[in-house]
Amino acid sequence: MNEEARKADPGLRVRPAVAADVPAVKAVTDAAYRPYIARIGLAPQPMEADHAANVAAGLVHVIGDPDVIGLVVVEARAGHLFLDSIAVHPDAHGRGVGRRLLGFVDEHARALGLPEVRLYTHALMRENQEIYPRYGYEVMERRVDGPYDRIHYRKRL
C-alpha cells in the first residue's frame, strides 16, 4: 500500500503499541492463534507471550483505529529483523491487514538498516507455508525447538 492509500485509510496505519493497547494485543493474538491449539496440540507460543513486557520494550506495532485489528511483534537482532508474531483478528481477514503488516515489517527492517527479515512458523500451520513465500520469504530450515516443530524463513531485502 502506498503512502497516499495509508493516509486515506487511517485504519491501516501501523503505530507503536502503548500500554493501553495491551488488552487488545492479547485479545487479537488469542483470537488469531486459538484455532491452531487443536491442530498442534498446545497453545502457540505467541499466546503465552508477556504482552505487557513486549509493548513496554517497543516490540509491538498495531494496526486499527480506533480498535486494534492486527499486530506484529518484531525485534532487531544481529543482521536481521526477527518477526516474532503476526496476528490479524479473524473478523478483519480479507481486508489487507496482514499484507499491510508484512509491508510494515519490511519498511521497519530497512529503516533500521537490516538486510533481511526472519521468522518461523509451526509446521502444522499450513496456511502460513502458502502465505510467506508469496511475500518473498524462503525456507531456511525445519527444526524442532522443544514442543514446537518449526519451519524457519527469511526474506532478503
Side-chain angles (χ1 to χ4, degrees):
M1 178 179 290
N2 64 33
E3 189 63 29
E4 290 176 24
R6 269 182 262 154
K7 289 178 183 173
D9 186 352
L12 290 182
R13 184 179 65 82
V14 180
R15 63 173 173 80
V18 296
D21 293 319
V22 170
V25 167
K26 177 171 178 32
V28 170
T29 299
D30 288 352
Y33 285 94
R34 188 174 294 115
Y36 294 111
I37 295 172
R39 189 184 304 173
I40 67 175
L42 69 157
Q45 194 169 12
M47 294 179 75
E48 305 294 328
D50 184 338
H51 303 294
N54 285 342
V55 167
L59 304 178
V60 183
H61 299 268
V62 298
I63 193 169
D65 186 20
D67 298 320
V68 172
I69 57 173
L71 62 106
V72 289
V73 180
V74 292
E75 180 181 357
R77 295 189 177 172
H80 68 278
L81 184 66
F82 178 64
L83 173 53
D84 186 44
S85 176
I86 181 168
V88 176
H89 195 283
D91 292 345
H93 286 177
R95 293 174 42 194
V97 176
R99 178 174 45 251
R100 174 65 194 115
L101 287 167
L102 287 172
F104 167 80
V105 170
D106 291 354
E107 294 166 11
H108 191 57
R110 285 185 185 105
L112 295 172
L114 297 170
E116 69 182 35
V117 177
R118 294 185 187 176
L119 62 86
Y120 53 71
T121 189
H122 196 284
L124 293 177
M125 293 181 178
R126 294 177 294 278
E127 301 86 347
N128 294 343
Q129 295 169 51
E130 294 175 13
I131 292 170
Y132 292 128
R134 283 188 272 170
Y135 288 92
Y137 288 85
E138 61 185 0
V139 174
M140 292 172 46
E141 68 176 325
R142 182 171 178 172
R143 184 172 72 225
V144 174
D145 297 314
Y148 301 101
D149 182 2
R150 295 178 170 150
I151 299 176
H152 295 250
Y153 289 86
R154 76 171 165 211
K155 178 179 184 178
R156 294 180 186 184
L157 302 173

